[in-house]
Amino acid sequence: MADVLQLNTNSLQVPGEDRSASTSPSGSPSPSRNECSITPLTPSPSPRTEVRPRVARPFSVVVAIDFGTTSSGYAFSFTEDPETIHMMRRWEGGDPGVANQKSPTCLLLTPDLRFHSFGFAARDSYHDLDPEEARHWLYFDKFKMKIHSTSDLTMETELESVNGRRVRAIEVFAHALRFFREHALKVKDQSSSVLEGNEVRWVITVPAVWRQPAKQFMREAAYLAGLVTPDSPEQLLIALEPEAASIYCRKLRLHQVIDLSQRPVTNVLDVEGKTICLSAREQLRRARHSRTFLVESGTGELWSEMQTGDRYIVADCGGGTVDLTVHQIEQPQGTLKELYKASGGPYGAVGVDLAFEAMLCQIFGADFIESFKAKRPAAWVDLTIAFEARKRTAAPGRANSLNISLPFSFIDFYKRHRGQSVETALRKSNMNFIKWSSQGMLRLSAEAMHELFQPTINNIIKHIENLVQKEEVKGVHFLFLVGGFAESPMLQRAAQNALGRNCRIIIPHDVGLTILKGAVLFGLDPTVVRVRRCPLTYGVGVLNRFVEGRHPRDKLLIKDGREWCTDILDRFVSVDQSVALGEVVRRSYTPARMGQRKIIINIYCSDTDDITYITEPGVRKCGAITLDLLESGAIRTTMQFGDTEIKVTAVDVATGQLVRASIDFLSN
C-alpha cells in the first residue's frame, strides 16, 4: 500500500471514539481508543445518512428467482398491480402428489458441455439415458452448497458433476439462471407482448449467512447469463432469503398461517399425530387463475396478531442452509429493522441426505458407494430421488416402516463388487432397525428415520436456542418457520417441543414459497428493510503517527524523516453495527505519484471488533476497491454498507466528476 496512497499529513484525520467530524491538530495524538485510525480521508461523520431522492421506476415487472439448494422457482409481479404475485402452477415433469411450483435444482449438460435441460426435465432425461452413455453426460444437483462451503471462492472455482468431470462453477450457475431468464421472458400471462429484458427488475435470493464473495458470485453469474449487463447493476437486486421471508410474513393474511400452538386449525390435516399442510396449490386457489400461473392477490383479513413494534425471528430452513434473522416492525410506515446480525449454518435438509449416504457407507462400505456413484451415476441419482420421496413422508407419530427402492443396478453391482448379496450385507451390518424386503427394498424403521433426521434438527434447534439468549433478541414472541425443510413434521414437532413454551411458532401455509413471494415484494420496494446489522468488521490498512510505548517497534516505518506506525485498521463499520439505508462512509485518497491512473485499496474484515492491526489473527484480506483516475488529484469515495451488497462510488475532488469505482471480493 505504501506505493499506492500518498500520505499527506495535511489531509490526515484522527477520528474520535464517536467517529465525529472533528479532528485533532496535525501531529497531535488523540486520547481516544480510535487514535490509531489516521487515514487519508475527508473529515465527515462515519457512517452518515445521505437522503436519496426517489427515482422513477423504469421497469414494468419484477421477476424473482429463488435459487435453492434442492429446488428453485420464480415468481413475478407487474408494477401497475403490485398486490398480485404470479407463480408457476406446475413445472412440466413434476412429481405426483406434490405442488411442483418449484423445480429441482438439477442441471444436465451434454458431453461437449452444452446446456441440455434444467429441473425435472434434467432429472428425467438423465434417468432415461443409456447407462454407458450417461457416464459421459454432466449432471449437477445440490450444487449451490459448494458456494457456501468454499472459503476461497473465485471466478475459477469448479464444480464436480456426478460423473466426476469438473466445470467452472460460474458457468453452471449461469446456465441455470439463463434457463429461468428465458422461461420468464416468454410470459404472456398478463402482458400483451413478450417482455423485453430492460423492462424487468430481477431479484435473486441468497442465504443471509453468505459472505460478500458469494453474493458477488451470483451477480457475476447473472451478468454471464444475460439477465442484466454490468452497465445496469441496479436492474438486479440480491435478496437475503430470511429477509425476503420476513417481508412476506409481515403481510400475511389470516387464512395463510398455521399456529402450532393452536392446532388443529383450518386447512391442516392431523394424521397419526403429524401436521400435514395442504398443498400450496390448494392454498392459492383464489382470486384469478391462468393456464400457466397461480395468482395470489393481497386480499383477505390481515393476520393481526403482530403489531407495530413487535419483534420476531424468521428461521429459513432450506435444503442447504438454515438462516435466522430478527426483525422489528417500525412505525409509522411498517418498515423493518434488523435487531441482530444474520446467523445460521449448513443445517438444511441435505444433512438428512448425507446421513442416509453415511448409513449406506456403513452397511455396504464407503469404497463401494464411491465406486457405484462413479460407475452408475444415473442409478445413484435414482436412489437419492427414492429417498427424497420417503423423507417427505417421515413424521414423529409414524410407527410403520418406510420402504426405499434400491435400483436393480445397485443390487447387481454390489454382488459383482463384493461377491455377496445386499441382504447378506444388511445382516452382517448388525443394523437391527434396517431390514431387507424381498421386493428389492430397504425397510427403514421409524427409529432409523428418526436417527437420520436428529443430528440436523438438533443443530437447528440449538442455534435458535442460542439466538434467543442474546440480549438484543430477548422478548421475541413469534418464530416463523419458512423454507422447504419447514414442511417437515419432524422439524415442526421438535421446534414446538423445544421452543413453544416461550414463543408462538407460526408456519405460512405455502411455506416453501414464502421466500419467493417475499423476494417479489422486495423487488417492488427495496427500501422496506430500513436498518441492517453488519455481519463483519470492515476497514483498510493505514499509517498512523508512531507513539513510543503504545505501538510495537516492528510496526515502525520512517518516511521523509517522520515516524509512522504501519498496518493500523481504519474501520469503515463494525460487526453487528446498525447501518440504515442511505448511510455512507466517506474517505479521500490521493495517488502516490504523478501520472498514476489507478488506485487499488485492499479491504480487510474480521468476525470481531476488538482489533487494532490488520496483521492480527482473525483479520483477513477479503477484497479490493479499484479507482480509475481522471487526473492526479484526490478522490473521494462513498461506501454503502446498509444494503444487501456493499457498494462504492467515487468523485474527483477537484472537478466533481464521477470516477469509475469498483469493489471486488472474488479476486483474492
Side-chain angles (χ1 to χ4, degrees):
M1 293 297 293
D3 65 338
V4 176
L5 300 180
Q6 177 67 44
L7 288 156
N8 184 339
T9 54
N10 293 326
S11 67
L12 297 179
Q13 178 191 5
V14 187
E17 184 143 340
D18 62 354
R19 303 189 70 78
S20 69
S22 63
T23 63
S24 297
S26 178
S28 64
S30 159
S32 73
R33 182 177 66 86
N34 281 335
E35 172 198 65
C36 297
S37 298
I38 296 181
T39 184
L41 58 89
T42 304
S44 67
S46 170
R48 132 180 184 185
T49 301
E50 183 177 81
V51 179
R52 292 172 296 176
R54 281 194 171 274
V55 293
R57 310 219 183 280
F59 49 88
S60 60
V61 62
V62 169
V63 179
I65 300 172
D66 181 11
F67 199 114
T69 299
T70 54
S71 61
S72 300
Y74 78 95
F76 61 94
S77 180
F78 293 93
T79 53
E80 63 188 23
D81 186 14
E83 289 292 316
T84 303
I85 300 174
H86 307 253
M87 290 152 290
M88 281 297 293
R89 176 182 293 280
R90 181 185 179 86
W91 286 94
E92 187 176 348
D95 295 327
V98 182
N100 295 316
Q101 288 172 281
K102 293 170 77 175
S103 187
T105 308
C106 307
L107 175 72
L108 183 62
L109 302 181
T110 65
D112 58 355
L113 304 183
R114 286 182 295 110
F115 175 84
H116 180 272
S117 49
F118 181 87
F120 289 111
R123 193 187 73 180
D124 295 343
S125 297
Y126 190 58
H127 172 274
D128 292 339
L129 286 171
D130 177 86
E132 276 304 310
E133 189 181 5
R135 293 173 61 180
H136 303 289
W137 287 63
L138 287 80
Y139 182 81
F140 300 87
D141 68 344
K142 300 182 177 68
F143 50 86
K144 182 181 171 185
M145 277 301 287
K146 174 75 172 182
I147 305 306
H148 177 78
S149 60
T150 301
S151 58
D152 56 347
L153 182 66
T154 71
M155 297 286 282
E156 302 305 317
T157 297
E158 292 184 330
L159 292 175
E160 188 174 297
S161 67
V162 171
N163 70 357
R165 285 184 64 184
R166 301 179 71 84
V167 179
R168 287 172 70 219
I170 195 79
E171 294 174 7
V172 173
F173 278 78
H175 278 308
L177 291 173
R178 193 178 296 116
F179 166 81
F180 282 112
R181 176 188 180 275
E182 293 174 358
H183 204 284
L185 291 184
K186 292 175 184 174
V187 170
K188 289 188 179 181
D189 195 63
Q190 297 254 321
S191 172
S192 58
S193 60
V194 175
L195 290 170
E196 296 294 331
N198 59 5
E199 296 178 61
V200 181
R201 164 173 273 174
W202 297 91
V203 182
I204 299 176
T205 65
V206 302
V209 292
W210 271 17
R211 299 286 169 87
Q212 292 299 322
K215 295 175 185 177
Q216 183 185 337
F217 179 90
M218 290 301 289
R219 178 170 285 278
E220 296 292 345
Y223 291 155
L224 187 59
L227 268 68
V228 301
T229 66
D231 295 331
S232 305
E234 70 287 343
Q235 204 182 336
L236 169 66
L237 298 178
I238 299 296
L240 309 182
E241 288 164 0
E243 198 173 271
S246 176
I247 293 167
Y248 181 72
C249 286
R250 93 196 203 288
K251 297 185 69 172
L252 281 170
R253 307 284 162 173
L254 195 60
H255 61 268
Q256 294 174 314
V257 299
I258 301 166
D259 188 337
L260 290 189
S261 63
Q262 298 179 357
R263 292 183 302 175
V265 294
T266 311
N267 295 329
V268 181
L269 304 179
D270 195 275
V271 181
E272 296 179 352
K274 65 178 179 177
T275 303
I276 304 177
C277 306
L278 296 182
S279 74
R281 184 174 57 194
E282 294 302 317
Q283 296 302 326
L284 294 169
R285 199 176 294 280
R286 54 183 169 274
R288 290 164 285 163
H289 292 267
S290 72
R291 203 154 41 92
T292 310
F293 296 97
L294 286 165
V295 182
E296 175 175 308
S297 59
T299 58
E301 183 184 352
L302 274 171
W303 184 67
S304 58
E305 299 289 328
M306 213 160 49
Q307 305 295 330
T308 299
D310 274 348
R311 300 184 290 175
Y312 59 94
I313 298 173
V314 175
D316 168 25
C317 307
T321 57
V322 168
D323 259 354
L324 305 178
T325 194
V326 188
H327 278 161
Q328 183 174 34
I329 303 176
E330 293 185 307
Q331 292 180 329
Q333 301 91 350
T335 52
L336 297 175
K337 176 182 180 180
E338 190 174 29
L339 298 179
Y340 190 78
K341 65 175 182 175
S343 62
Y347 316 134
V350 168
V352 183
D353 303 339
L354 294 175
F356 176 65
E357 184 176 336
M359 183 193 75
L360 292 179
C361 289
Q362 195 174 342
I363 297 170
F364 302 108
D367 59 330
F368 166 74
I369 295 298
E370 288 305 312
S371 178
F372 180 71
K373 287 163 71 173
K375 300 289 179 58
R376 300 287 187 272
W380 172 255
V381 171
D382 286 348
L383 178 54
T384 60
I385 292 170
F387 175 71
E388 176 69 28
R390 306 314 292 154
K391 182 176 76 174
R392 289 177 178 272
T393 66
R398 185 177 187 125
N400 54 318
S401 297
L402 290 167
N403 289 333
I404 298 172
S405 298
L406 280 182
F408 171 76
S409 60
F410 185 98
I411 299 168
D412 180 61
F413 194 75
Y414 185 78
K415 192 158 189 175
R416 293 186 188 185
H417 197 272
R418 288 281 198 259
Q420 64 180 28
S421 68
V422 165
E423 185 177 4
T424 302
L426 272 170
R427 194 166 54 248
K428 288 183 176 179
S429 72
N430 294 320
M431 286 191 165
N432 298 325
F433 44 74
I434 302 171
K435 305 294 183 186
W436 175 246
S437 162
S438 57
Q439 297 174 311
M441 296 182 180
L442 291 178
R443 286 183 58 80
L444 269 68
S445 67
E447 179 191 1
M449 193 58 92
H450 177 82
E451 290 295 318
L452 296 180
F453 272 83
Q454 213 50 45
T456 298
I457 287 179
N458 286 346
N459 278 330
I460 295 171
I461 299 302
K462 183 178 179 181
H463 201 92
I464 297 175
E465 287 176 335
N466 290 340
L467 178 64
V468 297
Q469 296 303 314
K470 305 290 184 185
E471 194 61 39
E472 302 90 332
V473 185
K474 286 183 178 176
V476 167
H477 298 300
F478 297 96
L479 168 63
F480 289 91
L481 290 182
V482 302
F485 197 22
E487 295 175 350
S488 167
M490 304 282 275
L491 177 57
Q492 291 179 12
R493 176 66 62 86
Q496 180 63 24
N497 289 346
L499 307 162
R501 287 189 299 275
N502 299 317
C503 62
R504 290 173 63 181
I505 300 172
I506 310 298
I507 303 176
H509 275 311
D510 46 356
V511 62
L513 300 171
T514 305
I515 293 159
L516 182 54
K517 291 189 283 190
V520 173
L521 297 177
F522 176 69
L524 291 165
D525 180 13
T527 66
V528 64
V529 181
R530 194 187 63 82
V531 179
R532 292 183 174 88
R533 295 282 184 139
C534 293
L536 297 169
T537 295
Y538 287 100
V540 296
V542 298
L543 303 181
N544 198 345
R545 186 66 57 81
F546 189 85
V547 179
E548 192 70 47
R550 178 183 294 272
H551 296 140
R553 296 294 297 178
D554 62 350
K555 298 292 184 187
L556 174 62
L557 170 70
I558 299 177
K559 184 178 175 66
D560 299 328
R562 292 194 171 186
E563 294 186 341
W564 298 94
C565 181
T566 63
D567 296 333
I568 289 176
L569 180 77
D570 168 39
R571 283 173 186 75
F572 291 158
V573 288
S574 298
V575 64
D576 208 30
Q577 176 182 335
S578 288
V579 184
L581 275 179
E583 286 187 350
V584 297
V585 176
R586 287 204 176 97
R587 298 288 189 270
S588 288
Y589 300 104
T590 307
R593 57 190 180 276
M594 291 294 293
Q596 188 175 337
R597 286 290 171 255
K598 197 181 291 285
I599 293 179
I600 299 174
I601 306 159
N602 290 329
I603 302 173
Y604 296 85
C605 67
S606 172
D607 294 308
T608 67
D609 191 39
D610 185 23
I611 47 178
T612 303
Y613 304 100
I614 61 173
T615 53
E616 292 180 30
V619 181
R620 59 193 181 277
K621 177 174 162 304
C622 62
I625 297 172
T626 301
L627 307 173
D628 291 345
L629 307 182
L630 301 174
E631 302 292 340
S632 297
I635 302 297
R636 185 173 68 245
T637 63
T638 301
M639 289 159 282
Q640 295 184 38
F641 291 87
D643 220 323
T644 58
E645 299 173 274
I646 299 174
K647 299 174 182 176
V648 62
T649 56
V651 296
D652 186 292
V653 173
T655 65
Q657 283 185 279
L658 282 175
V659 172
R660 181 183 290 274
S662 61
I663 189 164
D664 182 17
F665 293 96
L666 280 175
S667 299
N668 285 314

